[in-house]
Each structure stands twice: as structure tokens, then as C-alpha cells.
Amino acid sequence: MTERTSSPTSTLSGVTLSRPRAVLFSTLFALVVNLVIWLLGLAAGGDFELTDAGTTMAVAPGGVVMLTVLPMVVGMGVAAAMSLRWLAVIRIAQFVGVVAPLATITMTVAADFDAASTVALALMHVVIAVVVPVGLEAMRRGIGVGQDASMEIVNP
């Protein structure tokens, strides 16, 4: 005998999300985590300022928000749109979603941030490199089940 239950966001193998929800929830999660890291960086003595052409610029919190939200919404949004025609693009986007933020850590290290700011900003890149492929996987699974909000789970 089997028991049927309904769950809009999970299967036996993991979380599933519609395309818009995957982009939204992934972006919001990464943003919250990155803002917490920013606060921890401030508490550790970071000033999140750099000098460019003799001008000192603060890059947080506005920079943290913009540089978390913009690349994630654009990248995951493009992957979501392309996946309407070509589902395999999600696997490519997962690779890019790991490599791009990790590769751009070098720009943070090369800038003249103080040590606490550099570490915090580098960790923010790592957060994005973790959240993007997980969010895209939830999107892929959601597509696989037809993004049905009333999908069923069969429990033995």
C-alpha cells in the first residue's frame, strides 16, 4: 500500500523549483548570506573601501547588493530563458556559475582592500559559486517534473 502526499517544493531526490522561483530564491538567499558576511567583515575591522585614481570609494553595502543580485539574476535568467528551448544549457550554466565567481576573486585580491574586506569579499564570491549551481539544479529538477506545483510524492 502506498501513501500519497503533496509537496510543492520537494521530491525524494531534492528540491525542485520553477524557473522564476529558482532565480528569485537563489538570489535572495545569496544576498542575505553575503550581507551577513559583510556585517561580519565590518565587525572584523574591514572598511570595504578601495582607492581608484586617487579617489577612495566604498563598495558596500550597495556594491554587495548590486554585485550579488545583478550577475545572478542575469546569468540564471538567461539560463532559465534558454532552457525553454535547450534544457542542457542548465548544465553549462552550472559550470559557468561556479567558475566565473571563483575566477573573479582575483580582482578582489588585486584591489587595495584591507585584509578583512578582502577575505569577506572573497567569501561572497564563494557563496555565489555554491548557490548558483544548487539553484540551477533545483530549476532543472522543476523542469523535469513539469514545474507542477501539486506534484506528488509516493512513500512506501
Side-chain angles (χ1 to χ4, degrees):
M1 181 153 227
T2 61
E3 174 186 328
R4 293 184 181 263
T5 59
S6 179
S7 172
T9 59
S10 66
T11 68
L12 296 175
S13 61
V15 175
T16 63
L17 295 171
S18 67
R19 287 173 177 92
R21 286 182 178 172
V23 175
L24 177 66
F25 294 160
S26 298
T27 302
L28 289 176
F29 181 78
L31 178 60
V32 168
V33 172
N34 281 350
L35 287 173
V36 168
I37 291 171
W38 170 68
L39 289 172
L40 293 172
L42 284 177
D47 61 11
F48 294 90
E49 293 181 347
L50 73 120
T51 305
D52 184 29
T55 305
T56 301
M57 298 181 298
V59 297
V64 172
V65 172
M66 183 183 72
L67 294 173
T68 298
V69 172
L70 188 63
M72 287 188 68
V73 168
V74 170
M76 290 183 73
V78 167
M82 289 180 68
S83 72
L84 292 168
R85 295 274 188 201
W86 182 35
L87 188 58
V89 76
I90 292 177
R91 291 293 187 209
I92 296 166
Q94 285 176 310
F95 176 78
V96 172
V98 171
V99 172
L102 294 179
T104 56
I105 289 174
T106 58
M107 297 186 319
T108 300
V109 172
D112 67 344
F113 290 108
D114 58 82
S117 299
T118 300
V119 169
L121 291 167
L123 284 174
M124 292 177 200
H125 286 248
V126 174
V127 167
I128 293 172
V130 170
V131 172
V132 168
V134 171
L136 288 168
E137 182 62 21
M139 179 190 301
R140 189 188 66 77
R141 288 180 179 160
I143 295 166
V145 297
Q147 296 175 328
D148 183 9
S150 64
M151 62 189 188
E152 295 181 344
I153 299 174
V154 177
N155 295 322

